[in-house]
Amino acid sequence: MNKLISKFNLYDHFGYVFVGLYQIISLFIFVSIVQSKEFPDLSIFIALENSIGLIMTSYFVGHLVQGLSNFFDKLVNGRYLKKLFKNLKSENEKKVESKKQWTYITDKAQNFFELPQSIKQNQIFKYCQLYALSNDFSGHVRLFNSMYSLYRGFFTSTLLNLLTIIIFWLNTWILNQFTLPQVPGLFYWFILSQIFLCWIFKNRKNRFWDYMGEKTLITFDILSKKLIK
């Protein structure tokens, strides 16, 4: 029973709900500002009669947002842009370069798992991560992995909001025969808030990725030395 509960990570499920709720509230604010030109009443999101339906909808929307995270990660990390600019380094490559101090552990992992010499560092890390998660005596690896996923979802959701704003702006601009659309002042506040949150969530996402990576390698190092039985 305890093993079953340990594999049922509540952090991940709460992450889906929080990300989905954030996406729903953000779009609700955006639509309200565009249509009524005033900040909406958010009390409907705390009404008890709406709680069950809201949680279920948020959980579903959260899964959709997290499903789009891989695409946005590749876009932001420059993997698609590298086809145009060969010298452009992705975020993942920068992270690998910043973690050269941990190569002595990855070298040990390569021998520990009897991996071929041609294997890439990120693949070795995946072996370490799976091993550390299955023997996570401190709980830090699973916690930081969940926090990384949470802020990754927030970051993706905010990018979706910015994409929605751009599409709305271009559509209005074309319908107005290429004249600047007349929008309420709150609209610009919403744009600035999303840009700021996008920056915040990206930094937090990267921070927890670093935490999770360090804890993964340290946990593997401790387990490989059989310091924890």
Side-chain angles (χ1 to χ4, degrees):
M1 184 66 181
N2 290 333
K3 292 182 178 180
L4 178 63
I5 294 176
S6 65
K7 293 182 180 297
F8 184 76
N9 193 354
L10 290 178
Y11 289 115
D12 291 335
H13 294 282
F14 280 131
Y16 288 126
V17 173
F18 291 150
V19 169
L21 184 61
Y22 170 77
Q23 182 67 69
I24 293 172
I25 293 177
S26 298
L27 290 180
F28 179 73
I29 293 175
F30 171 75
V31 172
S32 297
I33 291 176
V34 171
Q35 292 184 345
S36 62
K37 298 183 179 181
E38 61 181 23
F39 196 84
D41 181 12
L42 301 179
S43 61
I44 60 172
F45 292 101
I46 60 175
L48 293 177
E49 61 269 20
N50 300 330
S51 58
I52 297 179
L54 182 61
I55 291 174
M56 294 179 64
T57 304
S58 298
Y59 187 73
F60 175 74
V61 174
H63 272 280
L64 292 179
V65 173
Q66 294 285 16
L68 292 172
S69 293
N70 288 332
F71 170 78
F72 279 99
D73 273 352
K74 291 178 181 179
L75 184 65
V76 174
N77 290 343
R79 295 179 188 175
Y80 295 147
L81 295 178
K82 287 186 73 174
K83 295 180 180 179
L84 299 176
F85 304 99
K86 295 182 179 180
N87 295 327
L88 182 65
K89 291 183 178 180
S90 69
E91 288 293 330
N92 286 336
E93 289 173 333
K94 294 178 182 178
K95 290 172 183 176
V96 170
E97 289 182 356
S98 67
K99 287 188 170 58
K100 288 184 178 179
Q101 59 178 326
W102 302 104
T103 53
Y104 75 96
I105 297 181
T106 55
D107 290 341
K108 179 194 294 186
Q110 189 169 0
N111 295 326
F112 183 85
F113 295 113
E114 300 179 354
L115 301 175
Q117 293 297 322
S118 59
I119 193 170
K120 296 181 179 179
Q121 289 290 317
N122 62 335
Q123 295 297 325
I124 298 176
F125 177 80
K126 290 179 181 179
Y127 275 85
C128 294
Q129 185 179 26
L130 183 60
Y131 189 78
L133 282 172
S134 61
N135 302 275
D136 189 11
F137 56 88
S138 67
H140 287 162
V141 177
R142 191 175 298 277
L143 172 61
F144 289 138
N145 186 58
S146 297
M147 294 303 294
Y148 164 72
S149 298
L150 174 65
Y151 282 102
R152 183 184 184 218
F154 283 147
F155 175 65
T156 302
S157 178
T158 308
L159 284 180
L160 287 173
N161 294 336
L162 290 174
L163 182 61
T164 302
I165 292 171
I166 293 173
I167 293 174
F168 166 79
W169 189 279
L170 290 176
N171 182 63
T172 307
W173 182 58
I174 294 173
L175 291 178
N176 290 341
Q177 298 180 347
F178 305 104
T179 58
L180 291 176
Q182 298 295 321
V183 293
L186 284 174
F187 183 80
Y188 296 103
W189 167 86
F190 184 76
I191 295 176
L192 292 176
S193 68
Q194 293 303 293
I195 294 175
F196 175 73
L197 288 174
C198 190
W199 175 73
I200 290 291
F201 293 147
K202 185 177 188 297
N203 287 336
R204 298 304 296 169
K205 173 178 72 78
N206 292 341
R207 177 68 61 86
F208 281 110
W209 170 266
D210 291 337
Y211 287 160
M212 187 267 293
E214 292 176 2
K215 292 296 183 182
T216 294
L217 295 176
I218 292 173
T219 300
F220 165 77
D221 192 32
I222 294 174
L223 291 169
S224 65
K225 293 176 180 177
K226 298 182 180 180
L227 297 179
I228 299 294
K229 296 181 179 180

